[in-house]
Amino acid sequence: YHKDFALHVLTCGSDLERMEKYDESMSNLGIKYQNVFHIGYDEWGGSDMLGPGGGQKINLILRYLEDSKVPDYDVVLFTDGYDAFFTRNAETIVGRFLGFKKDMVFSAEKNLWPDQSVVFPPSHTIYRYLNSGTFIARAGELRRFLQPVADSADDQLFMQRQFLTGRFNAVLDVEGYIFQTHEEQLVMQSGMLY
């Protein structure tokens, strides 16, 4: 593919010690990232994440897009900082994103959380529910998709409801082509997933 855009790799984590696996994987693959939490914030106000919460992540991403004046055609790759790690380089991830021919791709998981009453369409895999912890998107569509919310609001529920409106050029990665979530059978060995 011809790269006529910049890639912005973002994460959100207030406790750098809990980001060790994330940092290690990024370093091994030579991927530079920006922790949006550390752009003018001193404390986390998005709940303890033992229940619904995390709205502060949405507000931090919006602030980054605005403050950094990210062009609409640039690509934003976001992953949570504590429970995520990378196994492929940025070029592979972006190439797979472009292959979807969509402006937004969200990871999909097999468990519906936090609101069991939200109705998702069927999927040909067990991964049919949007997970807000990992996504890749064109910045312009991401700006349209996200809206400021209370820091204590639930980011995943907000994104699920937005996705289900059908107003966005978005898709779920139900085959785990870019993102893999919550799979107990996966084993990481010598930098490869099995």
Side-chain angles (χ1 to χ4, degrees):
Y1 60 89
H2 175 69
K3 188 174 178 188
D4 59 352
F5 55 86
L7 174 65
H8 304 261
V9 181
L10 307 179
T11 191
C12 184
S14 59
D15 183 347
L16 299 181
E17 288 182 18
R18 293 177 61 194
M19 294 179 63
E20 185 176 319
K21 186 175 286 286
Y22 186 90
D23 282 330
E24 182 182 340
S25 68
M26 298 298 260
S27 177
N28 289 342
L29 293 167
I31 301 173
K32 294 184 177 6
Y33 69 91
Q34 175 71 52
N35 186 343
V36 295
F37 178 78
H38 293 291
I39 304 174
Y41 283 86
D42 295 322
E43 64 182 64
W44 176 250
S47 93
D48 60 11
M49 298 311 291
L50 296 175
Q56 187 174 5
K57 288 190 298 188
I58 292 173
N59 298 328
L60 291 169
I61 293 166
L62 284 169
R63 183 172 177 177
Y64 174 85
L65 292 173
E66 181 181 329
D67 291 352
S68 300
K69 297 181 177 27
V70 177
D72 283 349
Y73 51 83
D74 277 4
V75 173
V76 175
L77 170 61
F78 177 86
T79 65
D80 285 341
Y82 301 152
D83 56 356
F85 59 91
F86 284 62
T87 62
R88 297 290 182 267
N89 62 31
E91 290 75 22
T92 300
I93 295 168
V94 169
R96 290 181 178 191
F97 164 65
L98 295 174
F100 275 95
K101 296 184 176 16
K102 296 287 185 177
D103 289 331
M104 303 181 80
V105 178
F106 289 93
S107 61
E109 61 180 318
K110 58 186 173 183
N111 301 310
L112 178 57
W113 189 89
D115 184 348
Q116 299 294 313
S117 70
V118 176
V119 178
F120 274 82
S123 169
H124 64 281
T125 73
I126 60 173
Y127 307 106
R128 67 184 266 211
Y129 306 112
L130 183 147
N131 179 297
S132 65
T134 46
F135 60 83
I136 186 168
R138 291 285 183 175
E141 190 72 344
L142 187 57
R143 280 189 181 93
R144 280 195 339 110
F145 186 89
L146 298 179
Q147 299 171 4
V149 297
D151 283 349
S152 59
D154 191 79
D155 63 303
Q156 182 146 301
L157 183 58
F158 171 83
M159 291 189 192
Q160 288 174 344
R161 287 178 174 159
Q162 283 287 84
F163 175 80
L164 291 169
T165 66
R167 296 186 323 235
F168 304 96
N169 188 21
V171 67
L172 300 181
D173 184 10
V174 298
E175 294 182 344
Y177 190 53
I178 301 174
F179 308 111
Q180 181 65 58
T181 58
H182 301 288
E183 192 52 65
E184 299 84 6
Q185 291 83 10
L186 287 178
V187 176
M188 182 77 169
Q189 200 171 42
S190 302
M192 296 297 291
L193 264 160
Y194 299 95

